[in-house]
């Protein structure tokens, strides 16, 4: 029991550190791709520390409440996933967190936030089917919804779920808020709706949003991880490599594509989900 | 004297009394007392028979048969005349066909068939009785408060409150009879009475629209009634029985599947699945309590109840696959269409259709897990949807509109009402609330039984569901500015039922492991003869209860912070052109322009036009395939 609590505390502390480091690496790599020197790897942490010291400014008393709840549920998801819990339950908890984040945008009652919220919701609608199918596909392949069972299977899940994995890679672009699917808010200051859903947040609240994003990065990569991990400990090395590769791929995509309209975002992800997910599941059902 | 008789007959008596009391305050008192008694009776019956159940045949069954026959003929005569008078001949024709069919059978074929158990009360019946009794009586109580102002807002409608309230109670009586009957002719009779009641309620306002919609509902449900009547005749002649339990116990074969198909069609019309869905959308013209009753506790639930009963015969049989397909189409398409709606009641209606589709899928998949999910869906949906309808009714009263776009001021008008509304919505789609638990198990059940289509459909449908509920929730929390606050009285008769519903939504989420343990598992074990297990592991249940606890506790933790907060409040960002009041900005010529914030409805994508026609065509084709396969005797 005691070690379990220690483990949870460890996860809560280490996950955002890892997420922050990844974001820092992302910024360096992106800068190099654009021929710039870029900030130090630890820059995201400096940013957050600075934000924490700023004067709190609000547009109303309610809207920051939602980002804190969003953070709590995202942490909750991270803990469920990294302790080997039920993957569908984790997905549902994550969705709950995202919904609170969206509601925060609505609660500020500001035009830019509202457009950001609508877009964020649309993005959620675009990626949600694939996320659910990922959970279901993993269950289909390994007969368990529990991540601890999935990562101790004989063969890696990727062998039976290549289609689902490709679909997941596609929608990770949404989850990691990378171009071409960074409609609702993006990390680069060049969006037509200002900072989208986060327009009205500043100081500590914005820092919380940033930290939430670090956790989400870890969650997204954990989903990649479970496709590669097996009973053999050496597979964990490959799985981590796969995660880093996937993250690098997302950075390349981020730099290689312009932001698309919502129609294309929705169509493409629903069609890709439909084709890759369905075909993969149908083929699996024949071998079962 | 059995207390079950009291359960069926008391609402009937109440209906008659209410019909004849013309003094408003006396009638209101009668309604309140009757609603209370119905609820108490329901709980008594539930407590009495839940553990062991009961099955029996009333001693004077033949007299009841004759009474039923007489009433059937009278109702038929009434409907035929109404159809002729209003030039809706199809109604008259349907009514003539089914009444002749049933009368002919009652007088000839039925002789010699012994019915052993006309009434069966098992765990499923117990749940249905509890839903109809508790939710139904709360809705009746609410109707008292609602009708107080309804005719003040709608002066052009003729006031017939006595009629409206009486029909509500008649409806409850019929619903009790329906879920308790095992004798198919009695079940059919109650089935027809619910059709009649829905016709009367939908046509309440007597406007042209109401009239058309009520006849549409009548025509579709009578069409389903014909299928039901045909099924009874078929079962009676071929199997020499009239008991639902006997039919369910039979082995699947080409002959057995024919009445199962007919009954399924009847159930699909009642549950308003594609291609029969139009009547439920038309039913929105009626006053809100009747919508709440139709959508949550009665009417549509009767349809899915029958499908759940038939579930062991569906599964992977031809009929099962057809019903599953219809459910899939309805669930997916209605979830998508709901995105494009602005009228709150329309959104709720499409959401009802979608959820019924989901229940139909679960029931027709026919494994222990999926039926577990189906029954829980019925429970959770009834509670949440009824709460939402009642809240929308009161919101319409408070802000004078039921467009979602106007609800951004609700937080100022009535904080409590927004809270009730948000909890109701959370109950419909959010983890860890009820509907999501059932959806989760449904997904697991579909994948376990290799229903890939259903799995895909549920993935897309859930995503759409999330979109339309969240954007509505967003409007509710958006805290828009209102200069002038309108205040209306929020009658206690309205608020008490809404509050109890809210409590029920939360309690049912905490209590679902208990429902599962004491009702669903024994029921499913009995039905299939194999031990049923709870599809969700205990560790998950614990985590979900923790989540629910967090959702309830976190908001409380946030309240005191505001009081002593020294945060600087600034105007919202409008590219530097905010005039300072958060409502207007400086336009191009320096003039003040009002800010209007609207939700996305994506009509070009998810509009009704784009879908309804093709969905109806496809689902009619699916049904036709079913007919051909059954007539050809290929069914298995």
């Amino acid at each position: 029991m005691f070690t379990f609590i220690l483990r949870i505390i460890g996860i809560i502390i280490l996950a955002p550190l890892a997420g922050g480091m990844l974001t820092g690496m992302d910024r360096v790599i992106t800068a190099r791709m654009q021929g710039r020197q870029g900030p130090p790897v630890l820059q995201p942490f400096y940013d957050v520390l600075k934000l924490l010291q700023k004067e709190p400014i609000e547009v109303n008393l309610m809207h920051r409440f939602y980002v804190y709840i969003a953070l709590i549920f995202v942490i909750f998801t991270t803990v469920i996933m990294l302790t080997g819990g039920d993957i569908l339950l984790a997905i549902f908890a994550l969705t709950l967190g995202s919904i609170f984040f969206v509601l925060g945008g609505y609660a500020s009652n500001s035009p830019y936030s509202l457009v950001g919220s609508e877009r964020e919701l649309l993005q959620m609608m675009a990626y949600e089917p694939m996320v659910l199918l990922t959970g279901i596909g993993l269950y289909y392949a390994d007969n368990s919804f529990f991540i601890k069972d999935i990562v101790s299977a004989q063969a890696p899940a990727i062998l039976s779920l290549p289609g689902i994995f490709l679909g997941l890679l596609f929608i990770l672009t949404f989850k990691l808020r990378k171009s071409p699917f960074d409609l609702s808010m993006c990390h680069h200051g060049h969006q037509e709706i200002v900072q989208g859903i986060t327009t009205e947040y500043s100081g500590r609240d914005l820092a919380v949003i940033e930290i939430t994003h670090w956790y989400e990065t870890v969650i997204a990569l954990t989903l990649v991880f479970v496709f590669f991990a097996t009973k053999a400990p050496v597979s964990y090395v490959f799985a981590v490599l796969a995660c880093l590769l996937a993250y690098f791929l997302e950075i390349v995509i981020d730099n290689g594509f312009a932001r698309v309209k919502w129609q294309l975002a929705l169509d493409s992800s629903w069609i890709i989900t439909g084709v890759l997910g369905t075909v993969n599941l149908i083929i699996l059902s024949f071998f079962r | 004297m059995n207390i079950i008789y009291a359960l069926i007959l008391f609402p009937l008596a109440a209906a008659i009394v209410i019909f004849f009391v013309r003094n408003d305050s006396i009638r209101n008192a009668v309604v309140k007392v009757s609603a209370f008694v119905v609820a108490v009776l329901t709980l008594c019956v539930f407590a009495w028979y839940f553990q062991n159940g009961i099955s029996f045949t009333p001693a004077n069954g033949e007299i009841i048969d004759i009474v039923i026959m007489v009433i059937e003929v009278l109702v038929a005569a009434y409907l035929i005349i109404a159809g002729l008078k209003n030039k809706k001949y199809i109604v008259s024709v349907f009514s003539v066909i089914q009444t002749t069919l049933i009368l002919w059978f009652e007088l000839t074929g039925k002789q010699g068939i012994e019915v052993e158990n006309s009434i069966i009360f098992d765990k499923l019946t117990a749940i249905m009785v509890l839903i109809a009794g508790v939710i139904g009586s709360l809705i009746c109580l609410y109707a008292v408060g609602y009708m107080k102002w309804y005719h003040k807002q709608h002066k052009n409608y003729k006031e017939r409150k006595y009629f409206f309230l009486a029909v509500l109670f008649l409806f409850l009586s019929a619903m009790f009879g329906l879920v308790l009957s095992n004798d198919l002719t009695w079940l059919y009779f109650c089935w027809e009475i619910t059709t009649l009641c829905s016709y009367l309620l939908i046509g309440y306002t007597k406007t042209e629209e109401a009239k058309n919609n009520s006849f549409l509902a009548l025509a579709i449900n009578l069409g389903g009634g014909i299928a039901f009547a045909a099924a009874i005749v078929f079962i009676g002649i071929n199997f020499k029985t009239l008991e639902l339990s006997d039919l369910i116990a039979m082995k699947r074969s080409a002959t057995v599947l024919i009445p199962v198909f007919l009954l399924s069609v009847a159930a699909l019309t009642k549950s308003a699945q594609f291609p029969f869905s139009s009547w439920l959308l038309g039913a929105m013209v009626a006053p809100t309590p009747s919508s709440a009753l139709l959508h949550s506790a009665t009417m549509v639930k009767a349809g899915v109840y029958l499908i759940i009963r038939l579930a062991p015969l569906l599964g992977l049989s031809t009929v099962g696959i057809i019903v599953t397909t219809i459910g899939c189409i309805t669930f997916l398409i209605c979830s998508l269409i709901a995105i494009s709606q602005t009228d709150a009641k329309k959104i709720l209606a499409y959401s009802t259709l979608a959820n019924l589709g989901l229940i139909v899928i679960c029931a027709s998949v026919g494994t222990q897990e999926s039926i577990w999910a189906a029954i829980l869906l019925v429970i959770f949906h009834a509670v949440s949807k009824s709460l939402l309808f009642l809240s929308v009714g009161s919101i319409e009263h408070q802000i004078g509109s039921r467009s979602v776009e106007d609800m951004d001021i609700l937080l100022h008008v009535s904080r409590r009402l927004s809270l009730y509304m948000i909890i109701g919505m959370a109950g419909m789609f959010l983890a860890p609330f009820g509907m999501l638990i059932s959806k989760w198990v449904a997904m697991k059940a579909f994948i376990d039984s290799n229903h890939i289509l259903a799995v895909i459909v549920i993935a897309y449908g859930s995503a759409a569901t999330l979109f339309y509920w969240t954007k509505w929730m967003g409007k509710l929390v958006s805290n828009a500015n209102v200069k002038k606050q309108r205040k209306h009285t929020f009658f206690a008769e309205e608020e008490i039922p809404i509050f109890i519903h809210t409590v029920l939504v939360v309690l049912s989420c905490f209590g679902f492991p208990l429902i599962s343990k004491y009702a669903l598992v024994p029921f499913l074990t009995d039905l299939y003869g194999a031990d049923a297990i709870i599809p969700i592991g205990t560790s998950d249940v614990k985590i979900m209860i923790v989540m629910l606890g967090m959702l309830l506790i976190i908001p409380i933790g946030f309240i005191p912070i505001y009081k002593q907060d020294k945060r600087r409040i600034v105007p919202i960002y409008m590219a530097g052109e905010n005039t300072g009041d958060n409502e207007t900005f400086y336009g191009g010529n320096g003039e003040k322009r009002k800010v209007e914030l609207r939700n996305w409805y994506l009509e070009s994508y998810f509009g009704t036009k784009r879908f309804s026609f093709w969905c109806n065509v496809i689902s009619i084709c699916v049904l036709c395939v079913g007919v051909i396969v059954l007539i050809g005797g290929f069914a298995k």
Side-chain angles (χ1 to χ4, degrees), chain B residues 141-159:
Chain B
L141 177 59
Y142 174 84
V144 174
Y146 182 89
M147 293 314 267
K148 274 187 191 166
W149 59 267
Y150 183 77
H151 284 285
K152 284 183 199 149
Q153 254 182 9
H154 304 276
K155 288 221 172 11
N156 44 347
Y157 303 150
K158 189 167 169 258
E159 191 188 312

Side-chain angles (χ1 to χ4, degrees), chain A:
Chain A
M1 192 63 203
F2 183 67
T3 49
F4 186 68
I5 292 171
L6 266 188
R7 216 172 131 200
I8 289 177
I9 294 172
I11 290 169
I12 294 175
I13 295 170
L14 292 178
L17 292 182
M21 287 298 286
L22 281 167
T23 320
M25 276 153 53
D26 173 5
R27 287 175 70 170
V28 174
I29 295 170
T30 303
R32 298 292 153 84
M33 280 181 187
Q34 296 166 350
R36 294 185 282 117
Q37 174 63 31
V41 179
L42 292 181
Q43 188 62 39
F45 298 104
Y46 303 147
D47 289 348
V48 163
L49 287 176
K50 186 177 155 198
L51 282 173
L52 285 175
Q53 291 159 7
K54 290 210 165 193
E55 184 207 353
I57 298 175
E58 309 271 316
V59 293
N60 64 47
L61 291 171
M62 275 305 285
H63 80 305
R64 77 199 170 92
F65 161 77
Y66 298 96
V67 296
Y68 286 92
I69 298 204
L71 174 67
I72 290 171
F73 278 100
V74 169
I75 294 177
F76 197 72
T77 313
T78 319
V79 171
I80 295 178
M81 288 191 93
L82 296 185
T83 50
D86 192 309
I87 191 161
L88 272 187
L89 187 60
I91 291 171
F92 295 145
L94 183 63
T95 310
L96 187 61
S98 311
I99 283 174
F100 273 107
F101 184 49
V102 170
L103 289 182
Y106 276 98
S108 62
N109 203 33
S110 141
Y112 293 106
S113 303
L114 182 87
V115 179
S117 284
E118 298 279 357
R119 289 186 180 188
E120 175 75 14
L121 257 184
L122 191 99
Q123 287 182 185
M124 284 174 71
M125 180 161 74
Y127 68 66
E128 196 70 18
M130 192 64 230
V131 177
L132 285 175
L133 287 186
T134 306
I136 292 167
L138 287 168
Y139 172 72
Y140 215 25
D142 294 323
N143 263 320
S144 170
F145 279 118
F146 283 88
I147 291 179
K148 60 172 179 273
D149 299 336
I150 297 169
V151 297
S152 50
Q154 291 291 344
I158 178 84
L159 292 182
S160 42
L161 301 168
I164 299 246
F165 180 71
L166 287 179
L168 178 70
L169 273 188
F170 187 84
I171 57 104
L172 276 192
T173 321
F174 287 100
K175 277 257 75 131
L176 296 170
R177 304 191 182 287
K178 298 290 187 198
S179 192
F181 301 135
D182 53 350
L183 285 83
S184 69
M185 59 176 265
C186 85
H187 287 99
H188 318 294
H190 56 67
Q191 197 165 18
E192 72 281 16
I193 53 168
V194 198
Q195 269 288 318
I197 205 166
T198 56
T199 304
E200 300 296 352
Y201 291 106
S202 62
R204 201 181 302 156
D205 308 337
L206 200 55
V208 166
I209 293 174
E210 196 55 36
I211 294 171
T212 313
H213 183 66
W214 293 348
Y215 278 107
E216 279 181 320
T217 310
V218 172
I219 293 169
L221 293 183
T222 311
L223 284 176
V224 176
F225 183 87
V226 294
F227 274 88
F228 292 92
T230 60
K231 213 167 60 177
V234 67
S235 70
Y236 282 39
V237 179
F238 290 115
V240 171
L241 280 178
C243 291
L244 292 176
L245 211 61
Y247 196 66
F248 181 70
L249 183 70
E250 295 295 341
I251 296 172
V252 174
I253 292 172
D254 186 32
N255 284 290
F257 291 91
R259 182 178 305 127
V260 298
K261 285 185 175 173
W262 68 262
Q263 287 93 338
L264 186 56
L266 183 63
D267 287 347
S268 61
S269 59
W270 272 24
I271 290 170
I272 284 186
T273 307
V275 174
L276 292 176
T278 318
V279 170
N280 201 158
L281 285 182
I282 289 175
I283 291 175
L284 259 190
S285 74
F286 278 115
F287 288 108
R288 205 157 132 127

Side-chain angles (χ1 to χ4, degrees), chain B residues 143-354:
Chain B
V144 174
Y146 182 89
M147 293 314 267
K148 274 187 191 166
W149 59 267
Y150 183 77
H151 284 285
K152 284 183 199 149
Q153 254 182 9
H154 304 276
K155 288 221 172 11
N156 44 347
Y157 303 150
K158 189 167 169 258
E159 191 188 312
R160 292 186 297 156
K161 285 185 200 170
Y162 61 93
F163 178 78
F164 185 77
L165 294 166
V167 176
L168 288 185
F169 277 95
L170 179 61
F171 215 137
L172 287 187
S173 172
M175 191 64 193
F176 287 136
L178 199 155
V179 294
L180 285 163
S181 303
N182 185 47
D183 182 335
L184 280 169
T185 48
W186 294 11
L187 182 57
Y188 167 79
F189 170 69
C190 297
W191 190 270
E192 291 303 297
I193 296 293
T194 57
T195 301
L196 174 73
C197 290
S198 66
Y199 158 73
L200 295 175
L201 287 176
I202 297 169
Y204 174 73
T205 57
K206 285 198 166 171
T207 56
E208 200 54 35
E209 192 193 6
K211 213 177 264 177
N212 286 332
N213 290 348
S214 63
F215 275 104
L216 179 67
L218 194 56
I220 291 176
N221 280 307
L222 285 179
I226 293 180
F228 204 128
I232 292 181
V233 174
F234 190 95
I235 296 168
I237 291 175
N238 283 299
F239 309 128
K240 296 283 169 227
T241 179
L242 277 176
E243 288 177 67
L244 186 59
S245 52
D246 284 355
L247 177 69
I248 297 163
M250 286 179 194
K251 283 229 155 50
R252 274 180 216 162
S253 70
T255 357
V256 174
L257 285 179
I258 291 174
V260 171
F261 179 73
L262 289 171
L263 288 176
S264 303
V265 169
L268 291 177
T269 55
K270 196 123 268 192
S271 297
Q273 300 295 290
F274 276 123
F276 312 113
S277 57
S278 48
W279 75 263
L280 192 63
L281 298 165
M284 293 289 101
V285 293
T288 305
S290 67
S291 312
L293 200 61
L294 289 176
H295 281 258
S296 61
T298 59
M299 198 68 180
V300 296
K301 290 288 160 26
V304 290
Y305 163 76
L306 188 60
I307 293 193
I308 293 175
R309 281 279 179 216
L310 294 173
L313 291 172
L314 296 171
L316 282 172
S317 70
T318 320
V319 181
I321 290 169
I322 287 166
V323 176
T324 313
T325 314
I326 300 271
C328 285
I329 298 173
T330 313
F331 174 60
L332 181 62
I333 300 304
C334 290
S335 301
L336 295 178
I337 293 179
I339 293 174
S340 68
Q341 303 297 318
T342 49
D343 182 339
K345 270 174 97 175
K346 273 268 161 63
I347 300 177
L348 293 181
Y350 276 109
S351 139
T352 304
L353 289 180

